[in-house]
Amino acid sequence: MRTAMWPVLLLGLLVADGITAQQRWRPRSMRPRPSHHKMVFDTARSRLVLVTGTATSCNPLPTPFVQTWEWDGLDWSLRRVTNGPAVRFEHSVAYDMRRGRLVMFGGHDGSGARFGDTWEWDGARWARQRPNNAPTPRSGAAMAYDAARGRVVLFGGRVDWSTALRDTWEWDGDDWRQIFAEVAPQRRSRHAMVYDANRQRVVLFGGARGGSQAPLGDTWEWDGTDWRSRGVAVNPPARHEHALVYDPTRGVTLLFGGGRPGQAYADTWEWDGNHWTQRSPPQQPSARQLHAMAFDGGRGRVVLFGGAFGGQLLEDTWEWDGLTWRQDAGTPPPPPRTFAAMVEDGPGSILMFGGFRTGGALGDGWSWDGVRWRPTSPSVRPLPRGAAALAKSVSGSGALLFGGAERDGFGALVLGDTWSWSGAAWTNLRPTVAPPPRARHAMVLDPARGRIVLFGGLGAAGNVRADTWEWDGSAWTRITPMNSPVARAGHALAYDARRRRVVLFGGDTVPLGLGGVLSDTWEWDGVDWVELQPAASPPARGGHAMVFDDLRQRVVVYGGAASSFLPLGDTWEWDGTTWTQGTFVLAPSGREGAAMAYDQSRQQSLLFGGLCGNTWSHGQMVLAAAENSGAGCAGGAATPATLTWFGLPELGNGSFAVDVVGAAPTVPMAFTWSAGRGSVPFAGCTLWLDPTQLLAVPAQTNGGGFASFPAPMPETAGLSGALFYAQAVLLDTAAPSGLALSNGLRFSVGY
């Protein structure tokens, strides 16, 4: 029998020559946008794992598989997988602590078909299990891991809209076995179960009996042999689609939220084995259903994520310490929105204001510092609005905002106010002369002339405009050129610094995207508009985003929508003569009404929104890469430990780590650096680097066949393009040399 322990990670580091920089979209500040998601704490890897069954248009890596995310206490990271369970709803998950596996069963595909498959996630990959016996296909079942007995317990679920089940099954890692208890809870689905480790009981609460029947409010416990009804004087109101989690630090089961037809709850309850007690914290998450909760054992907190309310997906993260709910350990990113206004308002700072969301306009401001979004909180601010325009101030510091609408659609109040942003405060300028009120117009600073240029937009009466205005820092002036683009809204402007021209592209001649989209290109030189006649142009569109990439000396256009209302996800560049379409392996999904600004200090464009709440950057970057670089050697065992990675070695990625999967470490581990890379015999295997100049760093975790070696990437431009190699060395008493080696990995640091 193999006894592998003491993995040492060897890394070879060098600065590579000839690394090719290229145009690239990069996801930033990502978070799940899930529905019917489930979450567990991976004790072996000290990470929360969230499995969302729904593939949405906002996913950065659209696949036919479920999305697998991890939470490190500060941010969400998407695990990239090449195979896995098919996209599904109402699946069931539990974490098998003995085997270090997340177990998933069942669900439905959205069209009524139920799944009966069993999958496991080991921290690196999904693997489908092939048991001899299994529960019937179902959705809405509940699962919990019985740690005392080493079994995953499943109860109930439904086979169609109206037919619920009441059977009990257990999974031991090899096969499912049905347990025929003498007494069992009545039929139900969309209930919740959790394991009470102190009392060694599985606790079940609530659920729906099927169809439109009223939800349940009963409490049951499973001891491995029998179900027992726990009738108590005070119970939480009956509900389904709630969440339960066991808090081992306080020895209680926590319940939050859920609902019944026409009502969602925002209440917090605790079960101590004898009584339900409602807690009244000073603040708590809003009412919701279909959320997920798990206890983060590394940080001693209950974590709640997402859910739904009133048909709207929620994307917030909350933590419970036993006394108080607090939203997000880090700063939560801005909520999703369309038609926000965005501009660089100072060195290294991007300002975003407002936008539309279901129910109306937003009035919040946000600042991007290159790593994360932070809310701005001035005492005075403009009214909530979307489809406004922002431009960098004439002074080069701060910004100017004009117009917008109170909501998206016909009959909305259109605004005509002018505001300045100093970097800390808003001021209503109230000029004596100003452009008429409008929305979906465009503005940009012409720094060579010291003027902000405004063109077009949707007027108060629903008419589209073709007027040109300029702001000199203190007053608006209407300009009457000999030539002008036709009236439009939803177009975009960018200032071409190389050619000293304001560039206009596209837009819609009919209000609110009902037709008449354009694909024309115009330039403003400060005196007149000139229409250009390139040989090819991007397809006609409105609601697109456009900036000037100063590093690459190109105007960049992204997204928008054509008259068919289908959102576009293409990227085009204008060099002053020719439009060229970019090709990307990874890019934002198609969207209309995204906001984009150019970050001069980091020489990249930043994009946010367009329904999605994800942030992307675009520009010329050295790509981060990770790949296998040589096979492993098992030594005395049939299968070697596998070396894999978490995240990518991108500058500023504090979550990047190299992981060892499949070992059985029992003593502290080391993280060892060395210079150079070779391919030499070592202990009967092949060493894929030359271990010299060693530096030991403690490992983050140790146990359960998994070890993680953190390698946070500082945002230091000099490291861009560096190469390093990694390989794990493990003590293996069954090997002739007493050592075994994992596979090798090759990394390229990217920016």
Side-chain angles (χ1 to χ4, degrees):
M1 179 177 178
R2 180 186 185 191
T3 54
M5 54 185 177
W6 191 40
V8 176
L9 192 65
L10 303 178
L11 291 183
L13 175 68
L14 58 95
V15 177
D17 295 325
I19 297 295
T20 302
Q22 55 187 282
Q23 183 186 6
R24 180 193 179 196
W25 280 105
R26 175 191 179 194
R28 309 290 298 272
S29 185
M30 306 303 293
R31 60 181 170 181
R33 191 171 190 264
S35 173
H36 298 271
H37 53 292
K38 306 293 180 181
M39 188 164 64
V40 299
F41 181 67
D42 184 333
T43 56
R45 303 172 59 248
S46 294
R47 289 167 185 159
L48 285 168
V49 181
L50 181 146
V51 180
T52 173
T54 308
T56 74
S57 61
C58 295
N59 284 333
L61 295 171
T63 71
F65 315 125
V66 297
Q67 298 280 312
T68 308
W69 294 78
E70 295 190 343
W71 170 258
D72 63 5
L74 292 175
D75 208 353
W76 289 100
S77 300
L78 175 65
R79 298 303 305 268
R80 301 185 182 186
V81 297
T82 57
N83 188 30
V87 169
R88 62 193 63 200
F89 304 82
E90 293 190 353
H91 47 294
S92 307
V93 303
Y95 182 73
D96 184 333
M97 289 189 293
R98 179 177 60 86
R99 301 173 55 249
R101 301 287 189 272
L102 180 152
V103 181
M104 187 178 85
F105 179 83
H108 68 84
D109 65 0
S111 66
R114 263 65 183 178
F115 294 101
D117 48 351
T118 304
W119 290 80
E120 292 188 342
W121 168 257
D122 64 3
R125 60 186 59 83
W126 283 101
R128 182 169 181 176
Q129 307 302 300
R130 305 287 181 179
N132 293 322
N133 303 287
T136 55
R138 67 191 67 197
S139 62
M143 293 202 310
Y145 178 70
D146 184 332
R149 302 173 55 251
R151 299 287 190 272
V152 171
V153 181
L154 178 150
F155 180 82
R158 56 180 177 171
V159 296
D160 55 38
W161 169 250
S162 60
T163 308
L165 303 166
R166 60 182 304 193
D167 48 349
T168 304
W169 292 78
E170 290 187 344
W171 168 255
D172 63 6
D174 293 314
D175 205 2
W176 285 100
R177 182 171 70 97
Q178 185 173 3
I179 310 298
F180 295 95
E182 189 171 325
V183 176
Q186 59 183 294
R187 299 174 183 273
R188 69 191 66 205
S189 68
R190 293 172 288 167
H191 47 296
M193 292 198 318
V194 69
Y195 180 69
D196 181 332
N198 183 47
R199 301 172 53 252
Q200 297 188 351
R201 298 286 190 275
V202 170
V203 180
L204 178 154
F205 179 82
R209 285 173 286 190
S212 59
Q213 297 183 56
L216 299 161
D218 49 348
T219 305
W220 291 77
E221 291 186 342
W222 169 254
D223 63 5
T225 304
D226 296 306
W227 283 103
R228 179 188 174 196
S229 176
R230 301 302 309 274
V232 292
V234 177
N235 288 286
R239 66 191 69 197
H240 58 74
E241 297 174 342
H242 49 290
L244 288 179
V245 64
Y246 181 70
D247 182 343
T249 62
R250 304 179 61 246
V252 295
T253 293
L254 184 77
L255 179 151
F256 183 84
R260 56 194 307 147
Q263 183 178 6
Y265 293 107
D267 48 352
T268 303
W269 292 78
E270 288 182 345
W271 169 254
D272 63 6
N274 293 303
H275 305 284
W276 280 105
T277 303
Q278 185 171 5
R279 303 295 302 276
S280 299
Q283 66 170 354
Q284 56 190 8
S286 59
R288 66 192 65 205
Q289 298 168 251
L290 298 171
H291 49 292
M293 293 199 303
F295 183 80
D296 184 335
R299 301 173 56 249
R301 297 286 189 273
V302 170
V303 178
L304 178 152
F305 178 77
F309 177 75
Q312 181 173 300
L313 294 180
L314 304 172
E315 303 175 28
D316 47 349
T317 304
W318 291 76
E319 292 190 348
W320 170 257
D321 62 6
L323 296 173
T324 306
W325 284 105
R326 291 185 175 88
Q327 186 173 6
D328 211 323
T331 301
R337 63 194 66 202
T338 60
F339 292 100
M342 186 189 293
V343 73
E344 182 188 44
D345 64 326
S349 174
I350 301 293
L351 171 70
M352 182 173 71
F353 183 82
F356 296 126
R357 198 175 186 191
T358 303
L362 299 168
D364 51 346
W366 295 82
S367 180
W368 173 261
D369 63 6
V371 177
R372 65 181 67 247
W373 289 102
R374 301 184 190 280
T376 62
S377 302
S379 58
V380 177
R381 67 180 70 187
L383 291 172
R385 67 193 67 200
L390 268 173
K392 182 181 285 190
S393 173
V394 170
S395 67
S397 177
L400 187 82
L401 180 144
F402 180 81
E406 63 171 356
R407 58 180 174 83
D408 197 14
F410 290 104
L413 174 65
V414 179
L415 303 166
D417 45 352
T418 304
W419 291 76
S420 68
W421 168 253
S422 67
W426 286 103
T427 302
N428 191 347
L429 298 180
R430 307 181 191 277
T432 56
V433 176
R438 67 193 66 201
R440 299 203 185 200
H441 48 297
M443 282 195 327
V444 69
L445 172 67
D446 179 342
R449 299 175 53 248
R451 298 289 189 273
I452 291 172
V453 181
L454 179 154
F455 181 82
L458 181 65
N463 58 307
V464 289
R465 294 186 169 275
D467 48 347
T468 303
W469 291 77
E470 289 189 343
W471 171 262
D472 64 4
S474 59
W476 284 106
T477 303
R478 180 166 183 177
I479 311 298
T480 55
M482 291 183 60
N483 302 288
S484 177
V486 298
R488 66 191 68 201
H491 51 290
L493 295 179
Y495 179 74
D496 184 332
R498 180 173 63 88
R499 303 176 60 250
R500 296 194 173 191
R501 297 287 189 275
V502 171
V503 180
L504 179 152
F505 177 76
D508 199 327
T509 61
V510 179
L512 303 177
L514 296 180
V517 286
L518 301 164
S519 61
D520 50 348
T521 305
W522 292 75
E523 288 187 345
W524 171 253
D525 61 6
V527 176
D528 204 3
W529 286 101
V530 177
E531 184 175 7
L532 305 179
Q533 302 292 337
S537 295
R541 67 194 64 205
H544 46 290
M546 189 165 80
V547 298
F548 181 72
D549 185 327
D550 191 61
L551 175 66
R552 305 181 64 249
Q553 299 287 288
R554 301 286 192 274
V555 171
V556 180
V557 167
Y558 168 76
S563 56
S564 62
F565 293 99
L566 293 176
L568 301 168
D570 49 350
T571 305
W572 291 79
E573 292 190 342
W574 170 252
D575 63 5
T577 304
T578 305
W579 282 105
T580 305
Q581 185 174 3
T583 302
F584 307 93
V585 175
L586 181 65
S589 55
R591 61 193 73 184
E592 178 189 14
M596 191 158 67
Y598 187 71
D599 184 338
Q600 185 72 40
S601 65
R602 298 176 183 87
Q603 297 185 319
Q604 56 187 259
S605 303
L606 189 79
L607 180 142
F608 180 85
L611 287 182
C612 305
N614 293 335
T615 304
W616 291 78
S617 60
H618 173 271
Q620 182 170 297
M621 306 179 196
V622 176
L623 300 184
E627 61 184 3
N628 282 309
S629 176
C633 174
T639 304
T642 300
L643 199 62
T644 184
W645 61 89
F646 175 75
L648 283 174
E650 295 177 324
L651 299 185
N653 181 9
S655 299
F656 176 67
V658 179
D659 297 343
V660 182
V661 179
T666 58
V667 299
M669 292 166 282
F671 184 34
T672 308
W673 292 83
S674 67
R677 187 244 187 192
S679 176
V680 297
F682 180 81
C685 301
T686 300
L687 186 66
W688 297 104
L689 50 85
D690 181 15
T692 61
Q693 303 177 14
L694 303 182
L695 174 65
V697 179
Q700 186 177 49
T701 60
N702 181 13
F706 173 86
S708 181
F709 297 88
M713 295 285 109
E715 194 145 3
T716 304
L719 287 177
S720 183
L723 298 179
F724 63 96
Y725 298 80
Q727 189 171 18
V729 180
L730 302 97
L731 182 65
D732 189 342
T733 56
S737 63
L739 296 173
L741 298 179
S742 74
N743 57 300
L745 297 178
R746 176 185 185 274
F747 299 100
S748 173
V749 179
Y751 180 68

